[in-house]
Amino acid sequence: MKYTYYPGCSVKATANLYQESIDAISPILGLELEELEDWNCCGATAYMSVKELMSFAISARNLALAEPFHRDVVTPCSACYLVLNKTNQYFTEYPDLRKKLGQALEAGGLSYSGNIRVRHILDVLFNDVGPEKISSLVKKRLDGLRVAPYYGCQIVRPEMGFDDPDDPQSMDRLIESLGATSVEYPLKTKCCGASLMGTEEDLALRLCCELLTGAESAGAHCIVTLCPLCQMNLDVYQSKVNRLCRMKHNIPVLYITQLIGIALGLPSKDLGLDKLAVKLTKPVKEILQGA
Amino acid sequence: MLKKEIVYESTLDHDFLEEIYSLPGGHEIKKCIQCGTCSGSCPTSHVMDHAPRKIFSLIRAGFREEVLDSNTIWFCSSCYTCSVRCPKEIKITDVMYALKRLAIKEGKTKGKKAVVLSKNFVKLVNKYGRNHETELMTRYIIQAELFNAFKFIPQGWKLFSKGRLPLFPHKIKNIDQLRKILKKVDELGEI
């Protein structure tokens, strides 16, 4: 299965461990991810707050670059997923916007006709590879590992159609396909604060505290997520959450692709596990070693 | 916060509603039935000057300053929970974006740290074609949090020591193409 791969800026920097694990598991799962040549930033939430048409235009450049390959575009970042999809959707729905975007792209020698499908890597892992195939490739079953599946916001909202906006299930099924238990986690789509961590730190820390507390009280050994910003907020800021909220959270926050990699028997250095700010805890290590 | 004293109708801005209607997605607020699902769903409404339902009510009543000066629009994290739950299918997050842009246009940005972050983000993307998280945070801290700079050190160091914070930006090869596109948008005018 071949796809056009759009990593996004975070995956090349603060989330480079996500990229490492994707690189490691893709060949085993039969995924061929060909990186889009010379892609630019999708605009995320910040660009849209300042300039609307410009943010759609920079996003559309990526779609225009991808169109000649006639393949689905796959991104591991939830913000990129949302923005590229939104551009695609509004391009089709609003003729005025379509016309202006067409003119803007033309100025750069590009054109776009709206025929690209943008998908999240979770969608591909769940629908194209599938839990059954993943399960059959598992070398180390993660029996006994209790995992809180944290989806965050922008992969399920606004509705993109591949999973439920309030109670998504795709990642739960993938976790179970590895032999682990996906715990009941009602906060799975509650916001972590996203970029408010930069501007309104106390607020975002409290949102994260709620998520960490919820996962721990559900008896989870670790949290698994799929969004660079969610992972950074819950992992890198966990010590700060503890200071502000007077808690003693110590729960590793992994990318789903890292968890899959562990179960596929890949060495931890190939999966970027050493780059986690909250190290794998003893119970997790024991389960992983015993697996 | 809303002033406690009586506000007379004659002092309200009756053009404000028309102005909001003219923004992309702005006409949607006509459909609001004031049910409060948005406010109840919002993860940050407890710290907002006015929760989203009230913002819609204020817009319709013409409370221009209260809306554009409020912290509400900058506390919206774009989680889209309100948008998917709104029974009238109003794209509330899009309305919040429109209000953010209007507030910036009118210079209602004093003390709004999110504006500093967003504007620098735009600058970096226009310069390199991509975001450079290290430079973004450095610019942000210097411009908005200089006296709090020390509080960013532990997390910054954690990221850096784990090799998650590249020092140098990546510039896309065809930045000229991106700039031509942006220049054309500038000529066309925003939506």
Side-chain angles (χ1 to χ4, degrees):
Chain A
M1 289 173 279
K2 199 167 180 179
Y3 305 87
T4 299
Y5 183 60
Y6 179 88
C9 307
S10 298
V11 173
K12 292 285 176 184
T14 49
N16 54 12
L17 58 169
Y18 198 4
Q19 183 64 61
E20 286 170 30
S21 60
I22 292 168
D23 289 341
I25 67 168
S26 300
I28 302 174
L29 302 178
L31 296 174
E32 206 178 324
L33 304 172
E34 194 175 286
E35 187 169 325
L36 180 65
E37 172 86 17
D38 210 36
W39 55 272
N40 59 266
C41 169
C42 71
T45 53
Y47 213 116
M48 182 62 78
S49 310
V50 185
K51 297 275 182 188
E52 187 176 44
L53 187 59
M54 279 190 188
S55 80
F56 281 128
I58 60 166
S59 178
R61 176 178 177 267
N62 296 309
L63 299 170
L65 290 177
E67 202 168 44
F69 299 102
H70 304 290
R71 291 191 296 251
D72 286 354
V73 170
V74 175
T75 176
C77 171
S78 298
C80 300
Y81 173 68
L82 182 144
V83 174
L84 294 174
N85 254 309
K86 191 170 170 178
T87 307
N88 228 356
Q89 189 192 342
Y90 288 18
F91 182 85
T92 319
E93 280 174 20
Y94 301 102
D96 275 2
L97 180 69
R98 187 186 181 118
K99 199 175 146 210
K100 285 188 172 178
L101 285 180
Q103 289 171 311
L105 288 173
E106 205 186 320
L110 293 169
S111 68
Y112 182 55
S113 57
N115 288 324
I116 284 289
R117 193 157 67 131
V118 181
R119 303 173 66 194
H120 196 283
I121 197 153
L122 178 66
D123 176 9
V124 170
L125 289 170
F126 182 71
N127 287 309
D128 295 7
V129 183
E132 294 80 18
K133 184 175 174 190
I134 293 177
S135 184
S136 73
L137 293 166
V138 166
K139 290 224 171 74
K140 281 167 50 169
R141 273 182 65 85
L142 308 177
D143 292 311
L145 187 70
R146 293 175 61 81
V147 181
Y150 179 58
Y151 295 76
C153 305
Q154 301 199 335
I155 183 169
V156 285
R157 289 186 300 264
E159 282 163 275
M160 305 294 185
F162 102 86
D163 213 335
D164 187 88
D166 281 314
D167 187 18
Q169 291 295 325
S170 48
M171 191 157 63
D172 296 54
R173 298 291 86 80
L174 290 179
I175 291 165
E176 284 159 9
S177 75
L178 310 174
T181 308
S182 172
V183 303
E184 191 67 33
Y185 189 45
L187 301 173
K188 56 165 72 163
T189 60
K190 186 137 194 275
C191 181
C192 72
S195 64
L196 290 176
M197 192 59 94
T199 56
E200 302 294 339
E201 194 179 80
D202 284 5
L203 171 62
L205 290 173
R206 285 182 205 284
L207 293 176
C208 286
C209 187
E210 206 182 328
L211 297 172
L212 296 167
T213 308
E216 282 184 347
S217 44
H221 295 117
C222 66
I223 296 176
V224 160
T225 187
L226 39 75
C227 167
L229 211 43
C230 298
Q231 200 279 341
M232 181 163 80
N233 285 352
L234 291 173
D235 176 39
V236 180
Y237 282 85
Q238 200 171 120
S239 53
K240 219 167 195 175
V241 169
N242 286 339
R243 259 204 307 286
L244 182 77
C245 304
R246 298 187 184 164
M247 301 295 273
K248 286 181 177 162
H249 297 301
N250 184 26
I251 183 163
V253 185
L254 284 77
Y255 285 104
I256 178 68
T257 44
Q258 290 180 306
L259 195 72
I260 293 174
I262 293 170
L264 293 177
L266 294 166
S268 63
K269 65 171 172 44
D270 291 357
L271 300 169
L273 289 171
D274 52 337
K275 289 185 173 169
L276 295 172
V278 178
K279 294 195 182 82
L280 295 184
T281 50
K282 213 174 152 198
V284 178
K285 271 189 187 158
E286 279 170 8
I287 294 167
L288 300 185
Q289 277 159 8
Chain B
M1 291 297 287
L2 260 189
K3 293 185 189 96
K4 286 281 193 309
E5 70 257 31
I6 298 167
V7 176
Y8 292 96
E9 206 179 339
S10 58
T11 64
L12 296 174
D13 187 339
H14 297 286
D15 299 330
F16 188 43
L17 184 59
E18 288 302 320
E19 207 178 319
I20 299 293
Y21 282 167
S22 71
L23 296 171
H27 62 280
E28 292 206 350
I29 70 159
K30 278 180 192 166
K31 300 190 284 185
C32 174
I33 54 170
Q34 290 287 297
C35 68
T37 304
C38 47
S39 300
S41 305
C42 178
T44 60
S45 61
H46 60 290
V47 291
M48 288 175 171
D49 292 337
H50 316 294
R53 180 202 60 79
K54 198 162 155 195
I55 283 285
F56 286 142
S57 183
L58 289 168
I59 290 173
R60 299 207 286 211
F63 283 84
R64 182 191 191 89
E65 305 300 316
E66 282 79 357
V67 171
L68 295 181
D69 278 333
S70 73
N71 66 10
T72 303
I73 47 185
W74 302 107
F75 274 141
C76 170
S77 68
S78 307
C79 79
Y80 290 84
T81 313
C82 53
S83 295
V84 298
R85 291 188 182 165
C86 175
K88 301 302 280 181
E89 296 179 355
I90 301 172
K91 294 186 171 104
I92 301 172
T93 312
D94 284 3
V95 176
M96 290 294 166
Y97 276 127
L99 292 172
K100 285 176 191 181
R101 293 189 297 269
L102 187 61
I104 291 179
K105 199 172 139 199
E106 303 206 348
K108 309 262 184 210
T109 54
K110 197 164 175 275
K112 305 289 195 296
K113 292 185 282 182
V115 178
V116 180
L117 192 75
S118 301
K119 281 189 166 176
N120 278 303
F121 186 94
V122 170
K123 264 187 205 158
L124 289 180
V125 173
N126 293 354
K127 187 169 150 195
Y128 302 126
R130 290 191 193 167
N131 177 25
H132 181 225
E133 288 163 311
T134 319
E135 187 173 338
L136 177 66
M137 284 317 286
T138 311
R139 281 165 171 258
Y140 169 76
I141 293 166
I142 292 170
Q143 292 172 27
E145 307 249 21
L146 195 56
F147 297 108
N148 288 322
F150 63 90
K151 80 169 185 186
F152 292 90
I153 295 170
Q155 273 60 40
W157 172 250
K158 232 173 236 186
L159 286 168
F160 180 74
S161 63
K162 298 275 176 190
R164 292 169 67 170
L165 211 55
L167 293 179
F168 303 104
H170 176 98
K171 194 176 191 171
I172 64 168
K173 279 184 239 152
N174 210 343
I175 188 79
D176 288 342
Q177 183 183 52
L178 187 71
R179 288 187 183 144
K180 275 180 198 156
I181 293 171
L182 290 172
K183 190 165 165 267
K184 184 68 186 177
V185 174
D186 215 25
E187 287 164 22
L188 292 169
E190 280 288 327
I191 304 170

